[in-house]
Amino acid sequence: MSERGRPTAYRPEYAEQAAKLCALGATDYELADFFKVDTRTIYRWKNVHEDFCQALIAGKENADTRVERALYNRAVGYTFESEKVFQFQGQIVRADTTEHVPPDPSAAKLWLTNRKPEDWRDKQEHSHSGQVMLTPTINFNGKPE
């Protein structure tokens, strides 16, 4: 007996392609555009094809790891080798240089807020204790109010 409904456009090679695209930062919307399907089809493929789902998870983890490393480097500062090109007396001169990017306090705060939320979150919890005693006041008639 044949399956009912329209045949799927999914191909097994899509898993490897999707993993590579996700590792480069592709979203589900961009995957749908690449495979020329609707985003709901991407969601369906993730539910029906385990290899496709696992490929997306692995690819997105790779992209997330790269962003985490970049945020960390931005938070602590880093040094890199580069080449400066300039003109001196009509001649093109290339010079190898070492450049330093200083730490970024905003990146450091973001990193710490997410890695150590109990110490770095913006909202602080405070508890108050004690008692409040109320005493009646006496009006001009000499009677308590």
Side-chain angles (χ1 to χ4, degrees):
M1 177 154 184
S2 66
E3 291 185 33
R4 297 178 66 172
R6 187 169 148 190
T8 183
Y10 180 78
R11 302 288 172 258
E13 60 269 15
Y14 287 0
E16 183 180 349
Q17 292 171 338
K20 289 178 181 178
L21 289 167
C22 287
L24 294 171
T27 63
D28 288 350
Y29 176 81
E30 291 165 329
L31 289 174
D33 182 53
F34 178 81
F35 292 119
K36 297 186 180 4
V37 296
D38 191 87
T39 52
R40 291 174 294 191
T41 302
I42 297 296
Y43 304 145
R44 191 175 318 109
W45 288 352
K46 285 196 284 189
N47 288 328
V48 173
H49 304 283
E50 182 66 23
D51 59 333
F52 187 76
C53 181
Q54 292 305 314
L56 265 61
I57 290 170
K60 289 180 180 185
E61 281 180 6
N62 289 338
D64 292 345
T65 300
R66 287 182 60 209
V67 171
E68 286 172 357
R69 176 58 47 200
L71 177 61
Y72 173 79
N73 286 337
R74 181 76 185 199
V76 299
Y78 59 97
T79 302
F80 65 98
E81 302 296 320
S82 69
E83 180 181 62
K84 296 284 185 185
V85 179
F86 54 94
Q87 182 178 359
F88 180 71
Q89 296 180 348
Q91 299 292 319
I92 300 291
V93 178
R94 297 177 181 271
D96 292 333
T97 63
T98 301
E99 296 191 45
H100 179 69
V101 177
D104 179 359
S106 297
K109 182 165 184 343
L110 179 63
W111 179 269
L112 290 168
T113 300
N114 286 294
R115 295 280 292 226
K116 299 180 80 177
E118 64 283 348
D119 296 331
W120 287 89
R121 67 178 173 202
D122 289 332
K123 181 180 176 185
Q124 298 292 323
E125 298 289 330
H126 300 284
S127 63
H128 300 280
S129 62
Q131 293 181 349
V132 176
M133 300 292 290
L134 297 177
T135 58
T137 59
I138 299 178
N139 64 15
F140 291 110
N141 298 338
K143 298 180 183 175
E145 290 185 346

